[in-house]
Amino acid sequence: MAERALRGTRLGATSYENDRNTDLAPRQEVTYDCTRGHQFSITFATEAEVPAEWECRYCGDRALRRDGQGEEPKATKPVRTHWDMLLERRSMEDLEEVLAERLELLRARRRAEAEKVEEISQQRQSA
């Protein structure tokens, strides 16, 4: 008999369950207003933490709760950049000294490469 009930249907395409004799969780409907004038409602469970903003279902822009409630923005630390962390470890004089060393190393490497190129071109001219 089970084979007859499933014949001609795709498994997973439809649910054969119903809502009879079940208690659904209490729900609340929250309305959001988009910055472009769209408005829409989302259904949440009453014990759920409702976000203050949601992506607009029409245009994808930011939408805010209509009643203006929501979590307070959390206090965040300012972003520390690589440069800020570097200045915590070294002084400007140290950094200038390291820069001068690296520039000298690069210039020496460039001079060595130029000498090799000159040597190769002289060998080609004499051959």
Side-chain angles (χ1 to χ4, degrees):
M1 175 136 180
E3 292 176 353
R4 287 187 201 153
L6 295 176
R7 184 182 302 159
T9 62
R10 297 182 307 221
L11 293 177
T14 49
S15 174
Y16 295 106
E17 296 180 11
N18 57 26
D19 292 337
R20 279 185 285 159
N21 301 326
T22 57
D23 292 329
L24 298 176
R27 299 169 188 221
Q28 63 178 333
E29 195 166 292
V30 179
T31 305
Y32 288 90
D33 291 320
C34 175
T35 56
R36 295 185 181 178
H38 304 123
Q39 64 181 19
F40 56 94
S41 297
I42 306 277
T43 304
F44 291 97
T46 53
E47 66 267 0
E49 188 175 319
V50 180
E53 62 182 55
W54 195 268
E55 182 179 311
C56 178
R57 62 172 50 162
Y58 302 108
C59 65
D61 207 9
R62 191 179 112 182
L64 299 174
R65 280 181 69 170
R66 177 172 287 172
D67 59 4
Q69 294 178 357
E71 64 269 1
E72 294 290 323
K74 298 177 182 175
T76 58
K77 295 181 181 178
V79 178
R80 286 176 49 200
T81 63
H82 176 71
W83 180 250
D84 295 332
M85 290 184 275
L86 186 64
L87 288 178
E88 290 175 6
R89 294 189 310 267
R90 295 183 183 244
S91 66
M92 285 302 288
E93 294 80 26
D94 291 340
L95 291 173
E96 288 175 3
E97 186 177 321
V98 170
L99 177 64
E101 290 174 7
R102 292 300 298 171
L103 286 174
E104 183 55 40
L105 180 68
L106 289 172
R107 288 176 183 140
R109 187 181 302 163
R110 186 175 288 167
R111 284 192 295 266
E113 289 175 359
E115 290 172 2
K116 283 184 184 179
V117 169
E118 184 66 31
E119 184 179 316
I120 291 172
S121 65
Q122 287 178 358
Q123 288 176 356
R124 286 185 181 167
Q125 289 177 356
S126 64

